[in-house]
Amino acid sequence: MFKPPFFYDHMNVQNWIEAPSTVHSRCTGLTFFFQKYLFMRAMSVYEWKLPEEINDYYFKWVLFTYGYIGLFKTPEFGAVAQWGALEGYDLYYFPKRMIFTNPAFKRKNGIKRTINKDCVLITLTGTFTGLTDLVNFYAENLALAWEAIAVNLLQTKHTNIFGAENAKVGEELRKIIDQVLSGEPAVITSNKLFTEDGKLLAQVFQMPVDFITPELLDAVDEILKKFDSEVGIPTANTKKRERLITGEVNSQKYEAMSRSEMWLEDMKKSCKKAKELLDIDIDVNFRYNVFDELADENMKGGDNYGL
């Protein structure tokens, strides 16, 4: 099997291994919709302090999409944050230099800077990868779930199958169905649907449909809770039941915060280097520090049951 990246004419050949060819969850408008808002959901965990000359939206979208962004200074723009190409590697196979290209720089070969000398690399995960794979995974699952909801809702409205004796009868049935679904209070038809003795030239088959939309909505909520746990948004992430203890809820909060805390440590190290090497005032913190809240709860003690 070929290795990625794939060209457009080979993507479906590769995708069928994971999903049937009739199931389209990738590269759809609904998937892109969820991708956009899941990225915003992940970015909302952190609150950034940036210099005025750095565009806040560009900085966060690049960092969370690609996993890293370069910081440096120029006489023309002052503090600059740009995505760039990585070059070279050190003893531990980490990149040594970055190359930045931008029409605004007006330099034919772009700008080349040495990391930790005249440039600082801000990383999200330390692996030079962003949250794109994580967001895509959950966006595809959410898209599939919402497609199932739409199909189930549609099936509850269209529960009949019609068998027509000929094409004329079939066409007449289509017109009637269109008029009914458009909301017309009364539908008038011709005698094409009946024989001379009044017999209907069509058969109607009742199609039983299970209304499972509430269960599917619960599935969407569970998928969102799973994503929240991945990126550091605290959630109970458990079904409500009698005598749910506080410790179980807090354990889910710790699970949610462990990875985001590790990401925060990486980003803070990079911000510290930017202050020391480039004198750029940049910092990042949790928007809401759940660890402090959990520490307060543990200090207070009290009833272990969420009653």
Side-chain angles (χ1 to χ4, degrees), residues 159-163 203-207:
T159 58
N160 297 324
I161 299 176
F162 298 89
Q203 286 183 313
V204 181
F205 303 94
Q206 295 293 332
M207 183 178 176

Side-chain angles (χ1 to χ4, degrees), residues 19-301:
S21 59
T22 53
V23 178
H24 303 285
S25 61
R26 298 182 179 180
C27 300
T28 64
L30 191 57
T31 303
F32 293 151
F33 168 82
F34 282 115
Q35 285 173 340
K36 179 173 67 173
Y37 289 104
L38 288 180
F39 266 118
M40 291 181 180
R41 206 177 181 99
M43 287 188 288
S44 68
V45 176
Y46 304 98
E47 188 172 23
W48 284 89
K49 178 185 178 183
L50 296 170
E52 292 184 1
E53 56 264 39
I54 294 179
N55 185 285
D56 178 68
Y57 294 102
Y58 174 86
F59 181 90
K60 289 188 290 188
W61 276 101
V62 169
L63 180 61
F64 280 81
T65 303
Y66 297 103
Y68 66 91
I69 190 169
L71 277 180
F72 58 99
K73 280 188 171 182
T74 66
E76 303 94 337
F77 302 101
V80 177
Q82 287 283 301
W83 183 82
L86 303 174
E87 183 185 64
Y89 53 88
D90 61 12
L91 177 63
Y92 299 100
Y93 298 97
F94 272 57
K96 295 180 66 176
R97 294 174 293 275
M98 289 193 74
I99 303 174
F100 305 97
T101 58
N102 190 311
F105 294 152
K106 298 180 180 178
R107 301 186 187 185
K108 184 177 180 181
N109 298 322
I111 297 176
K112 181 183 289 190
R113 294 295 172 93
T114 303
I115 298 173
N116 294 334
K117 185 177 179 181
D118 52 5
C119 165
V120 172
L121 189 62
I122 305 289
T123 58
L124 175 65
T125 62
T127 59
F128 304 98
T129 56
L131 303 186
T132 304
D133 52 352
L134 184 69
V135 167
N136 287 348
F137 174 78
Y138 282 97
E140 290 168 15
N141 281 278
L142 286 169
L144 284 175
W146 274 106
E147 285 176 5
I149 291 171
V151 170
N152 189 242
L153 289 173
L154 190 63
Q155 286 176 341
T156 58
K157 295 173 63 177
H158 302 274
T159 58
N160 297 324
I161 299 176
F162 298 89
E165 295 227 350
N166 52 59
K168 290 183 179 180
V169 175
E171 187 61 32
E172 189 68 18
L173 284 171
R174 290 191 189 93
K175 292 179 181 179
I176 293 174
I177 294 172
D178 288 340
Q179 289 176 302
V180 171
L181 294 178
S182 66
E184 293 189 16
V187 177
I188 302 173
T189 182
S190 64
N191 58 3
K192 294 179 183 179
L193 296 177
F194 304 93
T195 61
E196 294 180 357
D197 56 355
K199 182 181 177 181
L200 183 65
L201 294 174
Q203 286 183 313
V204 181
F205 303 94
Q206 295 293 332
M207 183 178 176
V209 176
D210 294 326
F211 184 68
I212 59 172
T213 298
E215 289 82 357
L216 291 171
L217 287 171
D218 288 340
V220 169
D221 191 49
E222 288 299 316
I223 294 172
L224 283 174
K225 287 179 180 178
K226 290 288 186 183
F227 178 80
D228 288 346
S229 294
E230 297 276 10
V231 299
I233 300 176
T235 173
N237 198 19
T238 184
K239 293 183 179 179
K240 186 177 180 181
R241 63 180 186 272
E242 188 179 359
R243 298 187 71 80
L244 177 65
I245 65 174
T246 305
E248 291 177 310
V249 176
N250 285 347
S251 66
Q252 296 292 341
K253 291 182 180 179
Y254 281 119
E255 180 184 352
M257 296 300 293
S258 59
R259 186 180 303 177
S260 58
E261 179 74 11
M262 181 179 65
W263 294 344
L264 181 65
E265 289 176 2
D266 285 338
M267 291 187 290
K268 275 192 165 295
K269 288 178 183 177
S270 302
C271 292
K272 184 179 179 181
K273 289 181 182 178
K275 291 178 182 178
E276 294 174 352
L277 294 177
L278 305 175
D279 194 26
I280 295 177
D281 188 16
I282 180 173
D283 198 10
V284 60
N285 286 292
F286 285 124
R287 192 174 298 274
Y288 304 104
N289 198 334
V290 181
F291 271 132
D292 291 344
E293 297 176 7
L294 291 177
D296 291 341
E297 291 177 8
N298 292 334
M299 289 293 292
K300 291 176 183 176

